[in-house]
Amino acid sequence: MEYNTVESLETLRGEAFSEFGAIVSDTDAENFRLKYLGKKGVLRDLVKSLSSMPEEERKTFGAAANALRREVEERFAEAPWQNKAEAADPGFDPTLPGYPFQAGSLHPLAKIRGELVEILVDMGFSVAYGPDVESDYYNFQALNMPPLHPARDMQDTFYIGEKSVLRTHTSPVQIRVMEAQKPPIRIIAPGRVYRNEAISARSYCMFHQVEGLYVDENVSFADLKGTLLAFSRRFFDKNTKIKIRPSFFPFTEPSVEVDVECFLCKGKGCNICKHSGWLEILGAGMVHPNVFKACGIDTEKYTGFAFGMGIERIALLKYGIDDIRLLYENDVRFLRQF
Ligand code: DAH
């Protein structure tokens, strides 16, 4: 049909809007757009009729044609069929099974710390905390490391000011607790520690430790051994053996290092234990009298033991992780494995 009169435009309007009303999808909409509004669309073609029209009709026809095109364009821009498509498809089928949710998981360090703390709390220790920014006094001096003591060199310290440091171990919490409480004292102190070491697969500038301290009358080295054995048997395996080697720490005398039988090869020798059958897990000893004196605890009446272990070390061993940096990169492909 030729659209060259104002009346014929009314017919065109009816046709266009009835087609418009039938649009239910984006494909329908695109077809409609091409047919009516595109470069070669019906509503654009109307101007062609103008040239063959008598002068006086041009004005009214032109105005009506433009008005119709604008009306259709405006309605089209509102895209009401999109709501219609939604109404036709509720998008929700209550009979379908649910979507599986990606569950989060604990960080391997949080997991190990949780297990260590749970076991030690069951054994009668309570949990204590101290600050990450420590004074020289608590981090060194009160732990029997006076200025220029050679043991200070072992711990590559981050100094914050002349007299404050990022704590290099959790041992200062021992001092804070002994200053604040009277024996009997049975505490553990999990927390973050810092050392200015070159970052590598084996060491990082920040890591975590759990400290332990038991002070009472008649606490002996046998109590230390029994406690560490019971702890190891629960954490690793109920038949785990431990080995106690002499060592040195300024804040304990005697001092020891404790190895557990390799849980992977059961002492036969493997990659994890470097074919020794043993894994070093912690340092420990009987609290040095100078430490008690710094805290005003009667060294005639009380004795005590202390121990400290690295959480990362245990996590790397337990999960067979070969690079400590993986623990801090927060790559979910790594973290999802735990
Ligand atoms: N503070 C020591 C370190 O970071 C670990 C340690 C050893 C803690 C012996 C203790 C202990 O409480 O008795 O290397």
Side-chain angles (χ1 to χ4, degrees):
M1 161 159 191
E2 283 272 332
Y3 302 107
N4 48 15
T5 60
V6 174
E7 294 77 57
S8 69
L9 288 184
E10 265 315 297
T11 317
L12 177 57
R13 186 174 184 283
E15 282 169 6
F17 275 102
S18 95
E19 274 183 51
F20 179 81
I23 298 177
V24 291
S25 68
D26 287 345
T27 320
D28 293 348
E30 183 57 11
N31 290 337
F32 179 89
R33 192 188 65 79
L34 288 172
K35 179 166 176 191
Y36 287 98
L37 300 169
K39 261 202 185 117
K40 302 229 165 79
V42 182
L43 293 169
R44 302 246 172 225
D45 265 352
L46 291 175
V47 280
K48 283 190 191 145
S49 323
L50 287 176
S51 53
S52 58
M53 242 174 241
E55 187 72 42
E56 40 326 334
E57 273 177 43
R58 277 192 199 172
K59 245 182 154 180
T60 42
F61 181 85
N66 276 335
L68 176 58
R69 183 171 48 78
R70 243 177 280 125
E71 186 187 359
V72 175
E73 270 171 1
E74 274 164 28
R75 287 287 287 139
F76 186 79
E78 288 166 16
W81 63 87
Q82 290 182 356
N83 296 332
K84 217 158 68 186
E86 263 170 41
D89 170 14
F92 174 68
D93 178 352
T95 64
L96 285 176
Y99 294 106
F101 275 92
Q102 178 74 51
S105 59
L106 285 179
H107 191 280
L109 288 177
K111 241 167 123 162
I112 296 284
R113 183 191 52 207
E115 288 170 27
L116 297 174
V117 168
E118 184 181 320
I119 294 172
L120 291 163
V121 165
D122 280 357
M123 291 170 80
F125 291 89
S126 48
V127 181
Y129 297 99
D132 286 22
V133 176
E134 229 354 322
S135 68
D136 181 280
Y137 177 79
Y138 286 106
N139 197 76
F140 294 122
Q141 185 107 22
L143 288 161
N144 200 26
M145 279 181 273
L148 305 182
H149 190 287
R152 289 187 176 211
D153 286 350
M154 277 166 33
Q155 315 202 338
D156 311 276
T157 311
F158 283 118
Y159 279 85
I160 293 221
E162 189 134 336
K163 288 279 164 208
S164 39
V165 301
L166 289 179
R167 66 178 178 189
T168 58
H169 50 179
T170 42
S171 302
V173 184
Q174 289 188 32
I175 307 297
R176 290 181 175 275
V177 170
M178 285 191 280
E179 278 183 349
Q181 280 171 234
K182 286 198 181 345
I185 291 170
R186 265 187 246 109
I187 59 104
I188 52 169
R192 204 168 266 190
V193 303
Y194 306 83
R195 290 190 199 175
N196 191 1
E197 291 187 58
I199 291 171
S200 71
R202 299 258 125 232
S203 63
Y204 205 72
C205 52
M206 171 216 75
F207 54 100
H208 300 77
Q209 292 185 331
V210 179
E211 191 79 14
L213 175 69
Y214 177 30
V215 182
D216 202 351
E217 291 177 42
N218 301 317
V219 174
S220 71
F221 195 85
D223 295 318
L224 172 60
K225 270 169 72 176
T227 302
L228 294 177
L229 183 62
F231 162 79
S232 303
R233 293 201 158 163
R234 204 169 137 198
F235 184 78
F236 293 103
D237 179 285
K238 64 180 187 322
N239 298 315
T240 297
K241 292 187 194 123
I242 63 173
K243 181 160 83 175
I244 292 178
R245 291 178 286 110
S247 183
F248 173 81
F249 299 102
F251 32 88
T252 44
E253 181 58 38
S255 301
V256 296
E257 277 174 305
V258 179
D259 299 343
V260 293
E261 190 181 54
C262 178
F263 54 83
L264 208 78
C265 63
K266 303 280 178 240
K268 288 193 203 66
C270 69
N271 275 339
I272 295 270
C273 61
K274 304 210 182 87
H275 302 282
S276 69
W278 296 95
L279 300 166
E280 183 198 320
I281 57 155
L282 56 84
M286 302 306 293
V287 179
H288 196 291
N290 287 353
V291 174
F292 279 147
K293 280 181 201 145
C295 306
I297 287 181
D298 184 350
T299 55
E300 294 302 316
K301 191 165 175 202
Y302 295 109
T303 50
F305 68 70
F307 59 87
M309 62 186 118
I311 300 183
E312 275 77 357
R313 180 163 169 75
I314 294 177
L316 297 186
L317 292 171
K318 184 152 182 180
Y319 293 126
I321 301 167
D322 59 7
D323 192 327
I324 194 171
R325 291 167 293 196
L326 288 165
L327 293 171
Y328 310 115
E329 282 166 358
N330 281 337
D331 185 332
V332 290
R333 291 167 301 180
F334 169 74
L335 295 176
R336 274 197 191 125
Q337 300 174 55
F338 301 96

